[in-house]
Amino acid sequence: MAKNPVIGLLGGGQLGRMLCQAAAPLGITVAVLDAEDCPAKQINQNSLHVTGSFKDPEKIKTLASRCDVLTVEIEHVECDVLEEIATKGVEVPSPDGHGTVMKRVPVHPSYKTIRLIQDKFQQKEYFAKNGLPVAPQMAIESGDARSASIEQAAKSFGFPFMLKGAKGSYDGRGNFKVRGPDDFETAAAQMGDQPLYAEKFVPFQMELAVMVMRTEDDDGNLKKVYPYPVVETIHEDSICTKVFFPPRNVAEGITRRAQKVACDVVSRLWGRGVFAVEMFLAGDEIIVNEVAPRPHNSGHLTIELVPQRSQFRAQLDSILDRVPSSEFSFIPQFPSALMLNILGGAEPQSHDRLVKLTTDFYHPHANATLQMYGKSSKPGRKIGHITAWGQSAIEQLSERTSHLIRCMDEIRAERIGSTEAVRESELQSGPTPLVAVTMGSDSDLGTLSAGLKVLKDFDVPFVVRITSAHRTPHHMMQFAAEMNKSGCKAIIAAAGGAAHLPGMVASEVALPVIGVPVRASVLDGMDSLLSIVQMPRGIPCATVGIGNSTNAALLAIRILGVAFPEYADKMKAYQEKMKNEVLAKDEVMLSTGWEKYLNRQA
Amino acid sequence: MAKNPVIGLLGGGQLGRMLCQAAAPLGITVAVLDAEDCPAKQINQNSLHVTGSFKDPEKIKTLASRCDVLTVEIEHVECDVLEEIATKGVEVPSPDGHGTVMKRVPVHPSYKTIRLIQDKFQQKEYFAKNGLPVAPQMAIESGDARSASIEQAAKSFGFPFMLKGAKGSYDGRGNFKVRGPDDFETAAAQMGDQPLYAEKFVPFQMELAVMVMRTEDDDGNLKKVYPYPVVETIHEDSICTKVFFPPRNVAEGITRRAQKVACDVVSRLWGRGVFAVEMFLAGDEIIVNEVAPRPHNSGHLTIELVPQRSQFRAQLDSILDRVPSSEFSFIPQFPSALMLNILGGAEPQSHDRLVKLTTDFYHPHANATLQMYGKSSKPGRKIGHITAWGQSAIEQLSERTSHLIRCMDEIRAERIGSTEAVRESELQSGPTPLVAVTMGSDSDLGTLSAGLKVLKDFDVPFVVRITSAHRTPHHMMQFAAEMNKSGCKAIIAAAGGAAHLPGMVASEVALPVIGVPVRASVLDGMDSLLSIVQMPRGIPCATVGIGNSTNAALLAIRILGVAFPEYADKMKAYQEKMKNEVLAKDEVMLSTGWEKYLNRQA
């Protein structure tokens, strides 16, 4: 391959545009086959572009003749010509200046993958044959046999079942849910003459997606597959509209399995590139829905979440075979992110207010960026997207961006002419606590109150809970686990007597835990102190003086200062104030004399 | 201003290119005046561009006639025509189709700022007049009076002093350090006929820079200035080559003052946009060196460090007056970042290996991205840059990217033909400790050793010192104060008996202090424990179990995890390992029986 290879890209929509965005800083040239003013060409000026349709075989050959490798931003391209280019080659002028020679141009992903993906029925037959989890399906006959064939499907799968067009559709368009025999006629009429298949309905609770990068040697042997983090996708009106990382309320075991399934799927395809594997989560089961052999809407948030190697960068790295030789993985740089599509609304300017909310967005612990595609607005058309990301859990991020989500839902409601579509945001919980305060019993609250006041004075967001180590052990552990995953930075735990709470919480979390010994009815608090401070090697508990919740709070604030300079500054100011107060008292004592001072105190 | 305003940009080099990169996702059109194939136009195709020089008044007017606002990527532009455009306007066809009308186009930053900045002497005279800290300077006469004038400067400032060209230079070019009378002739010859000034030499230990965004209302009244985080800049051969965030070994008080000075400077300029304020740090003093009225090399790392609003995005927001109405600040999303310029080397392909190292870069806690400018390579020319960023302190990030820095230094050495130029990376002073460990007496070292081993195992940079509260009280306090100002994040202090050290250190610093009670000769350590844990309200000391330095170290690491996710990850892995070890033992006890297990232990 040439030193500065030229990539030929079929299709110059938003995916192509973002691929070009990733290519330019790397010094990689991308030649695009699409209309003159397509989104990709707007941000990528060069003399190698071809004007025309990515379905036109002649144009594809022209593009190939100018490039070192071909790739696609859409799977609905002319596949036979890609096979011809990859295997027989295209005519190019001979290097010796006389006549022409044939130049073979690699196509990634392989034309074999693209051809398989173009037929959704065949795609899933292939996955099933390879032992991958897919929903049962059957082909539907065409012509006169169609009605009987649909009835047969109903008999096999029961109601509801899905009727799907095998070719040319994407984004869930061309699907029909058959709820009962009354639907047969409507379905047949609506689906028309296209090749159909029926699929058993999967009563899924969530849709998951995983982007996978696939590398291959020059002989077409799989080198490796690398999964991105799993995301949750939301579809409305058969269009992906929202993407959440991580999926909400999904156990880590499940996301790990989803990555495994996605890798298995992509291992069985051909060629280099990134692939989106869309899956249903039904109970604990993961079922493959479909695959896109290219960058995908569900991977847009990798631009911000995995800035070191977004899905677009990975597509370039893979097709140019420039993947680092060291073991590596796609490490998210933030604990949460979400993507919201900007869809054209009822009016050409409907989305303007959503754009404005996004460019205006400010929150100290969350961010939102805008990505417009340079496309004119049409109702329901993807014309841009928003990515939000944060230093906290996905629930808090959703809450902090709930005005964006609400605006998006309103624009949709206007477009589809229904106010019902405006869902109340699912995310109504309060602001992320930075400090969690917990006690073994409500009788400890008096001891804690001085510390709570300090947290309030320092403007620390905190939460106060009762979680007894002995009376509610599971509740305690669950609370600790939750705090560990949220944006919380330190935990204060108070307990008395056989004071196990602070140490038990410390066992569950990786955060610093501060223990406050509460003086119980006997032993003057010594029992509490020793129960808290004498933790075994391996699990530290930062212990403060007996009953001294003030110091527990101040210690928590010093810890926050390690991450957030604003708290370090406040602490310095507090210490300065404390010093000045004592100095002032000393001055008074010096000037009035200790005896008068004593009298005044009395 | 029109709803989708067009920005006219004078100059289409790398700064213009990155401005266009920021504009495209926001749907903002930028029309560029520069050569046909300049870096900015390569990634920005539209019909409004003007081909020509950004110093050509006619071309500037053509550009202005197509735009709603003008800005610059370089200050060496034709200023009078900018004033004319902003105040009198440019001829455009009349809306009624008959003849022409004059259209005024705002210029941001103001032509007044650009004019002032173009003359470095006048620039600093203005700053001095406004009470801003600059080095003393004096104008140097031209023609026959020049020699006498230079001698006069030597008399006023002493040796060495600086001779500088007032106009047309940037990146420290056109400066001459006059070391003694022997240099007079060389200096005069080398500087030629250009307007000169002399400046007192500032023996600075470091150069700092702050990007500042300035907003203004339509009447030219300052709204607000917003500083970015302070960075340290390294210049070699009069070119900025490396930028570090945060500055290494600089106290927070100083960086805050640098931001304040930068804001004061920019408040006194005119127009909207971002401005780079370059400063010297000399002792504790901050001295303004010069200002660039545009995005700047020292701000490139904001693309990754402040991804929600890079300096380029801020330039757009400011000139379009689209700054969020809420109070906001530029919050860095990572604790450290560094920028390395890719300069053309001795051969056109000299930089290839640095590019390859960057695209190959992989580290679980650090990242590196490449930004090539689409420029051909010439020796010393800025043709791209690398940004690295990480979840750790700048010292660790520098270490993790040291192979990139070394490669860069080698390319420079080849270019300037000197192997001496390969400096051992300046990061030899040993990394800043993140944890300081101190003890009252060397007899405590045995108790601390287990904890020190933990710190080592977790790869925490730390320092170990003896500072007795009673035998060396001043030394102790000085040590504590130093740690408080350095990048140190937590202090571990061990003491026995009347164990005052941890509490005294806690009184001096705003950092979390962890106390380890050491068992002294009597009372089994209870004296030490109570001396440490029972601190008065106001000064917390995080106490761990008697002699349990392991837990002190683990607590310090949990605290580091609050700021640096890599330590949180390591802590989770450690806890997982600990859990698995105990589970494995349980399994063995279950399968072998407790009696055999007991025998095996014996």
Side-chain angles (χ1 to χ4, degrees):
Chain A
M1 188 167 287
K3 198 173 145 306
N4 277 312
V6 175
I7 295 176
L9 173 64
L10 278 67
Q14 66 264 29
L15 298 173
R17 180 179 171 106
M18 289 184 270
L19 193 74
C20 291
Q21 255 172 19
L26 300 172
I28 296 170
T29 302
V30 181
V32 179
L33 167 54
D34 208 331
E36 196 76 62
D37 63 343
C38 66
K41 289 184 185 174
Q42 290 170 21
I43 62 144
N44 176 13
Q45 174 163 287
N46 68 53
S47 55
L48 300 172
H49 292 323
V50 180
T51 305
S53 162
F54 49 76
K55 295 190 177 186
D56 179 340
E58 282 316 306
K59 300 285 184 177
I60 296 176
K61 285 185 186 172
T62 306
L63 181 71
S65 71
R66 299 176 180 181
C67 299
D68 299 291
V69 56
L70 285 186
T71 191
V72 300
E73 65 139 25
I74 182 161
E75 53 275 22
H76 300 298
V77 294
E78 231 296 295
C79 228
D80 294 343
V81 70
L82 291 180
E83 177 170 6
E84 185 188 325
I85 289 166
T87 54
K88 299 192 189 125
V90 284
E91 256 185 356
V92 294
S94 168
D96 63 14
H98 299 293
T100 60
V101 292
M102 295 303 277
K103 175 179 87 161
R104 270 203 293 249
V105 181
V107 175
H108 288 294
S110 166
Y111 57 88
K112 282 162 66 181
T113 295
I114 298 172
R115 189 173 283 142
L116 180 70
I117 299 289
Q118 283 178 348
D119 187 321
K120 281 163 49 173
F121 179 71
Q122 291 304 334
Q123 181 192 149
K124 275 188 280 192
E125 288 290 296
Y126 176 75
F127 293 154
K129 213 175 60 193
N130 279 276
L132 297 162
V134 290
Q137 61 176 9
M138 57 179 280
I140 296 292
E141 305 287 331
S142 56
D144 292 345
R146 176 153 287 185
S147 291
S149 185
I150 291 179
E151 279 173 43
Q152 183 53 42
K155 226 174 269 171
S156 301
F157 299 142
F159 293 107
F161 70 93
M162 300 300 295
L163 265 186
K164 297 187 171 183
K167 289 185 176 178
S169 61
Y170 56 94
D171 257 351
R173 284 165 179 131
N175 290 353
F176 194 104
K177 190 175 184 177
V178 184
R179 288 159 207 276
D182 292 353
D183 283 350
F184 287 172
E185 216 170 308
T186 328
Q190 212 171 90
M191 302 298 274
D193 282 341
Q194 62 175 319
L196 290 184
Y197 67 103
E199 195 182 85
K200 192 171 158 65
F201 178 73
V202 178
F204 61 89
Q205 72 263 39
M206 187 181 277
E207 292 182 81
L208 301 175
V210 178
M211 295 301 309
V212 177
M213 176 172 77
R214 185 181 198 279
T215 59
E216 206 183 70
D217 69 17
D218 286 335
D219 299 325
N221 301 309
L222 174 67
K223 286 207 279 195
K224 203 166 164 177
V225 286
Y226 303 82
Y228 277 88
V230 183
V231 297
E232 171 190 352
T233 58
I234 306 286
H235 291 77
E236 292 166 324
D237 319 320
S238 299
I239 305 173
C240 170
T241 52
K242 298 165 188 159
V243 175
F244 293 85
F245 167 79
R248 292 166 299 173
N249 300 312
V250 173
E252 216 181 290
I254 289 178
T255 57
R256 253 200 310 268
R257 262 200 294 133
Q259 284 187 312
K260 170 84 171 58
V261 168
C263 285
D264 287 347
V265 167
V266 175
S267 298
R268 280 165 181 85
L269 297 173
W270 307 272
R272 296 168 180 161
V274 293
F275 300 74
V277 181
E278 297 189 89
M279 290 163 281
F280 298 126
L281 176 62
D284 264 9
E285 231 185 314
I286 284 161
I287 293 158
V288 177
N289 180 26
E290 59 182 12
V291 172
R294 49 167 171 84
H296 187 257
N297 205 163
S298 67
H300 289 354
L301 52 64
T302 60
I303 295 175
E304 288 80 12
L305 184 66
V306 192
Q308 69 276 26
R309 196 172 259 105
S310 73
Q311 64 167 344
F312 300 102
R313 165 77 191 273
Q315 174 77 352
L316 298 169
D317 284 348
S318 172
I319 63 180
L320 298 179
D321 199 21
R322 288 180 175 176
V323 176
S325 45
S326 63
E327 269 303 302
F328 88 98
S329 59
F330 298 110
I331 301 173
Q333 298 292 303
F334 300 97
S336 64
L338 61 84
M339 192 284 315
L340 307 174
N341 273 339
I342 301 176
L343 303 181
E347 306 293 329
Q349 73 284 3
S350 296
H351 63 282
D352 287 354
R353 60 187 197 270
L354 181 54
V355 166
K356 172 119 178 57
L357 284 181
T358 309
T359 53
D360 266 4
F361 186 88
Y362 179 73
H363 188 287
H365 304 302
N367 302 293
T369 53
L370 183 68
Q371 180 82 248
M372 298 303 292
Y373 302 152
K375 290 159 82 172
S376 61
S377 175
K378 289 182 194 168
R381 186 186 207 190
K382 291 177 182 168
I383 56 174
H385 76 260
I386 299 160
T387 308
W389 72 95
Q391 297 284 7
S392 57
I394 182 66
E395 289 77 14
Q396 278 128 6
L397 178 64
S398 309
E399 194 199 295
R400 286 162 183 174
T401 52
S402 59
H403 58 300
L404 303 181
I405 297 174
R406 222 167 19 243
C407 179
M408 185 183 166
D409 289 342
E410 284 163 12
I411 294 168
R412 174 175 172 241
E414 287 167 18
R415 174 168 56 81
I416 65 175
S418 155
T419 50
E420 268 171 61
V422 181
R423 302 191 277 178
E424 267 313 293
S425 151
E426 305 117 60
L427 325 142
Q428 294 297 341
S429 50
T432 326
L434 286 177
V435 174
V437 182
T438 183
M439 63 201 96
S441 154
D442 60 358
S443 64
D444 303 328
L445 185 56
T447 304
L448 278 173
S449 61
L452 298 178
K453 200 178 160 308
V454 171
L455 292 177
K456 229 176 132 180
D457 289 348
F458 275 81
D459 212 13
V460 174
F462 64 96
V463 63
V464 187
R465 303 289 295 272
I466 304 170
T467 59
S468 165
H470 306 126
R471 282 161 292 213
T472 63
H474 294 290
H475 175 50
M476 169 189 72
M477 294 310 263
Q478 197 191 331
F479 166 74
E482 267 167 32
M483 288 302 110
N484 204 31
K485 280 194 296 185
S486 78
C488 176
K489 300 298 186 192
I491 299 178
I492 296 174
H500 297 179
L501 176 64
M504 287 307 295
V505 169
S507 309
E508 180 63 27
V509 303
L511 299 168
V513 175
I514 301 164
V516 184
V518 175
R519 197 158 77 166
S521 47
V522 293
L523 294 172
D524 254 1
M526 191 56 95
D527 47 350
S528 321
L529 171 60
L530 297 179
S531 297
I532 294 171
V533 77
Q534 289 293 102
M535 285 289 290
R537 257 167 253 288
I539 315 286
C541 182
T543 310
V544 295
I546 297 166
N548 199 338
S549 67
T550 300
N551 276 5
L554 292 170
L555 179 58
I557 292 158
R558 287 187 183 213
I559 289 170
L560 291 181
V562 169
F564 309 120
E566 73 175 272
Y567 290 109
D569 292 347
K570 284 183 185 174
M571 180 53 66
K572 283 173 200 156
Y574 169 84
Q575 289 174 286
E576 191 63 23
K577 185 167 158 267
M578 198 159 51
K579 184 184 83 184
N580 291 335
E581 280 169 7
V582 176
L583 291 177
K585 285 181 185 172
D586 182 43
E587 209 157 291
V588 174
M589 193 179 292
L590 194 67
S591 59
T592 62
W594 67 270
E595 284 167 310
K596 263 196 193 157
Y597 197 102
L598 184 66
N599 289 338
R600 209 184 283 175
Q601 272 189 323
Chain B
M1 188 166 286
K3 200 176 145 304
N4 276 312
V6 175
I7 295 176
L9 173 65
L10 277 68
Q14 66 264 30
L15 297 173
R17 179 180 172 106
M18 288 184 272
L19 193 74
C20 292
Q21 255 171 19
L26 300 172
I28 296 170
T29 303
V30 181
V32 179
L33 166 55
D34 208 331
E36 196 76 62
D37 62 342
C38 66
K41 290 185 185 174
Q42 290 170 21
I43 62 144
N44 176 12
Q45 175 164 286
N46 70 54
S47 54
L48 300 172
H49 292 323
V50 180
T51 306
S53 162
F54 48 77
K55 297 191 177 186
D56 178 340
E58 283 315 307
K59 299 286 185 177
I60 296 176
K61 285 186 187 174
T62 306
L63 180 71
S65 70
R66 300 177 179 179
C67 299
D68 300 290
V69 55
L70 286 185
T71 191
V72 300
E73 65 139 25
I74 183 162
E75 52 275 24
H76 300 298
V77 293
E78 229 296 295
C79 227
D80 295 342
V81 68
L82 291 180
E83 177 170 5
E84 186 188 325
I85 289 166
T87 55
K88 298 191 190 130
V90 284
E91 257 185 355
V92 293
S94 168
D96 64 12
H98 299 292
T100 60
V101 293
M102 294 303 276
K103 175 178 88 163
R104 269 202 294 249
V105 182
V107 175
H108 288 293
S110 165
Y111 57 89
K112 281 162 66 182
T113 296
I114 297 172
R115 190 174 282 143
L116 181 70
I117 299 290
Q118 283 179 347
D119 187 321
K120 281 163 47 174
F121 179 71
Q122 290 306 334
Q123 180 192 149
K124 274 186 282 192
E125 289 291 296
Y126 176 75
F127 294 154
K129 211 174 61 194
N130 279 277
L132 297 162
V134 291
Q137 61 177 7
M138 55 180 280
I140 295 292
E141 304 289 329
S142 56
D144 292 346
R146 175 152 287 186
S147 292
S149 185
I150 292 179
E151 278 173 45
Q152 184 52 41
K155 226 175 267 171
S156 302
F157 299 142
F159 293 106
F161 70 94
M162 300 300 297
L163 265 186
K164 296 186 171 184
K167 289 185 176 180
S169 63
Y170 57 94
D171 256 353
R173 284 166 181 132
N175 290 354
F176 194 105
K177 190 175 185 178
V178 184
R179 287 160 209 275
D182 292 353
D183 283 349
F184 287 170
E185 214 169 311
T186 328
Q190 213 172 88
M191 303 297 274
D193 282 340
Q194 61 174 322
L196 291 185
Y197 67 102
E199 194 182 87
K200 192 172 159 66
F201 179 73
V202 178
F204 61 89
Q205 71 264 38
M206 185 181 279
E207 292 182 82
L208 301 176
V210 178
M211 294 301 309
V212 178
M213 176 172 76
R214 185 180 198 280
T215 58
E216 209 183 68
D217 68 17
D218 286 337
D219 298 324
N221 302 309
L222 173 67
K223 286 207 278 194
K224 202 168 165 177
V225 286
Y226 304 82
Y228 277 88
V230 183
V231 298
E232 171 190 352
T233 58
I234 305 286
H235 291 78
E236 293 166 323
D237 318 320
S238 300
I239 305 173
C240 170
T241 53
K242 298 165 189 159
V243 175
F244 292 84
F245 167 80
R248 292 164 299 172
N249 299 313
V250 172
E252 217 182 287
I254 288 178
T255 57
R256 251 201 310 269
R257 262 201 293 134
Q259 284 186 314
K260 170 84 172 59
V261 168
C263 285
D264 287 346
V265 167
V266 175
S267 298
R268 280 165 181 85
L269 298 172
W270 308 271
R272 298 170 180 160
V274 293
F275 300 74
V277 181
E278 297 189 89
M279 289 164 281
F280 298 125
L281 175 62
D284 264 7
E285 230 184 314
I286 285 162
I287 293 158
V288 176
N289 181 27
E290 60 182 11
V291 173
R294 51 168 170 83
H296 187 255
N297 205 162
S298 67
H300 289 355
L301 50 65
T302 60
I303 296 176
E304 288 80 13
L305 183 66
V306 193
Q308 70 275 28
R309 197 172 258 105
S310 73
Q311 66 167 344
F312 300 102
R313 165 77 191 273
Q315 174 77 353
L316 299 169
D317 284 348
S318 172
I319 62 181
L320 298 179
D321 199 21
R322 289 181 175 175
V323 176
S325 46
S326 63
E327 270 301 302
F328 87 99
S329 60
F330 298 109
I331 301 173
Q333 298 293 304
F334 300 97
S336 63
L338 60 85
M339 192 283 318
L340 307 174
N341 273 338
I342 301 177
L343 303 181
E347 307 292 331
Q349 73 285 2
S350 296
H351 62 282
D352 287 353
R353 59 187 197 271
L354 181 54
V355 166
K356 174 124 177 55
L357 284 181
T358 309
T359 53
D360 267 3
F361 186 88
Y362 179 74
H363 188 286
H365 304 300
N367 302 292
T369 53
L370 184 67
Q371 179 81 248
M372 297 303 292
Y373 302 151
K375 290 160 82 172
S376 61
S377 175
K378 288 182 194 168
R381 187 186 205 189
K382 290 177 183 168
I383 55 174
H385 76 261
I386 300 160
T387 309
W389 74 95
Q391 298 288 7
S392 58
I394 182 65
E395 290 75 12
Q396 281 154 320
L397 179 64
S398 309
E399 216 179 85
R400 286 161 182 172
T401 51
S402 59
H403 58 300
L404 303 181
I405 297 174
R406 217 161 29 239
C407 179
M408 186 182 165
D409 289 341
E410 283 163 12
I411 295 169
R412 172 173 174 243
E414 288 167 18
R415 173 168 56 79
I416 65 175
S418 155
T419 49
E420 268 172 59
V422 181
R423 302 192 276 178
E424 270 311 295
S425 144
E426 305 113 59
L427 323 151
Q428 296 297 332
S429 51
T432 319
L434 288 176
V435 174
V437 183
T438 183
M439 64 202 94
S441 153
D442 61 357
S443 65
D444 302 327
L445 185 57
T447 302
L448 278 172
S449 62
L452 298 177
K453 199 179 159 306
V454 170
L455 292 177
K456 228 176 132 180
D457 288 348
F458 275 80
D459 212 13
V460 175
F462 64 96
V463 62
V464 188
R465 304 288 294 273
I466 303 169
T467 60
S468 165
H470 305 125
R471 282 161 294 214
T472 62
H474 294 290
H475 175 49
M476 169 189 72
M477 294 310 264
Q478 195 191 334
F479 165 75
E482 266 169 33
M483 288 302 110
N484 204 30
K485 281 195 295 185
S486 77
C488 177
K489 301 296 184 191
I491 299 178
I492 296 173
H500 297 178
L501 176 64
M504 288 307 296
V505 170
S507 309
E508 179 63 26
V509 303
L511 299 168
V513 175
I514 301 164
V516 184
V518 175
R519 197 158 78 167
S521 46
V522 292
L523 295 173
D524 252 2
M526 191 57 94
D527 47 350
S528 322
L529 171 60
L530 297 179
S531 300
I532 294 172
V533 78
Q534 288 293 101
M535 285 290 289
R537 259 168 252 288
I539 315 286
C541 182
T543 311
V544 294
I546 297 166
N548 199 338
S549 66
T550 301
N551 277 6
L554 291 171
L555 179 57
I557 291 157
R558 288 188 184 212
I559 290 170
L560 291 181
V562 168
F564 309 123
E566 79 169 271
Y567 289 111
D569 291 346
K570 283 182 184 174
M571 180 54 65
K572 283 174 201 156
Y574 170 83
Q575 288 173 287
E576 190 63 23
K577 186 166 157 266
M578 199 158 50
K579 183 184 85 183
N580 291 335
E581 280 169 6
V582 175
L583 291 178
K585 286 181 186 174
D586 181 44
E587 209 158 291
V588 174
M589 191 177 293
L590 193 68
S591 59
T592 62
W594 68 269
E595 285 168 307
K596 263 196 192 154
Y597 196 102
L598 184 67
N599 289 338
R600 213 185 280 175
Q601 274 190 322

